Amino acid sequence: MESFGTLRLLRTAGIVSLSLLTASVLLKPASGLAQTLPASPNRAQPIDPNDPNVLKPTDQDAGLLSQQGGKRLMDEADKAVSAQNYPTAIKKLQEARQVFNQLSNFYQDLAGSFSGIDNRIADTQRRKALEAAEMRDQATYQLALVHRAQNQSELAVPLLVQIIRSQQPTRSLGQKAYQQLLELGFVDAPYPRPRADQPNAAPR
């Protein structure tokens, strides 16, 4: 009789313990279960916004990689020059050069891709490439002037030569760049040549 009572007591205790264990598993927070799941190589991972390889969508008007973005950098550089904050002006102009140079290259690539397929698009992209290149050279010229204002002719000369190579000496900006080289003493022959120094036309 006593053994029967003991056996019944043990059985009841076992049922209670099993019920408590089941309840604890069912009530365990989902986050705790998620933490125990093994990482899967095929599982989609969240994008790190700080990853430099992640391209962020930008507004064409407000984004940095745009004509407006480059012009905004040049405006900020002008303000820095007015305040004689030359380090900031140099930084802004360098960034503007990079923006306009990338835009020019990208538009030129698009023009080449559409050439012979849709000439209307190719011509439009080629025109945008030329406009961006013009703005790049303008930023380069302003940067050279800032370097010259700081008596850094060794930094100004290469920029001025780049402008002449891009613009050609016959264009206004190319002539301005050459004039700067003349004033720096890097070249000694003026261009355009003064009218008095030009050879007379051959007699008819």
Side-chain angles (χ1 to χ4, degrees), residues 131-198:
E131 291 174 354
E134 180 72 24
M135 293 303 302
R136 176 202 61 204
D137 292 344
Q138 290 283 353
T140 302
Y141 182 74
Q142 294 299 325
L143 181 59
L145 293 183
V146 174
H147 284 313
R148 187 181 175 187
Q150 292 188 294
N151 295 321
Q152 296 175 327
S153 58
E154 70 280 4
L155 299 177
V157 167
L159 297 175
L160 296 169
V161 173
Q162 288 177 18
I163 295 170
I164 296 171
R165 184 172 66 243
S166 174
Q167 291 283 319
Q168 300 299 318
T170 55
R171 302 186 65 184
S172 175
L173 189 58
Q175 292 180 10
K176 289 181 179 179
Y178 188 84
Q179 180 63 29
Q180 292 293 324
L181 291 176
L182 184 65
E183 293 176 5
L184 288 170
F186 188 77
V187 295
D188 53 12
Y191 182 86
R193 186 182 303 182
R195 185 176 299 274
D197 295 341
Q198 293 181 3

Side-chain angles (χ1 to χ4, degrees), residues 28-41 43 45:
K28 187 174 182 179
S31 60
L33 292 175
Q35 293 176 356
T36 62
L37 292 176
S40 173
R43 189 186 303 273
Q45 300 297 322

Side-chain angles (χ1 to χ4, degrees), residues 75-86 89 146:
D75 290 340
E76 293 173 357
D78 287 341
K79 294 178 181 178
V81 170
S82 299
Q84 296 186 347
N85 186 354
Y86 295 125
V146 174

Side-chain angles (χ1 to χ4, degrees), residues 114-132:
F114 279 94
S115 180
I117 299 175
D118 191 325
N119 290 332
R120 176 181 56 85
I121 295 179
D123 291 342
T124 299
Q125 301 307 313
R126 191 172 294 109
R127 175 179 54 79
K128 290 183 177 181
L130 291 174
E131 291 174 354

Side-chain angles (χ1 to χ4, degrees), residues 20 26 48 50 55 70 74 87 104 130 164 188 196:
L20 292 174
L26 293 176
D48 181 6
N50 297 320
L55 296 179
M74 292 186 66
S104 180
L130 291 174
I164 296 171
D188 53 12

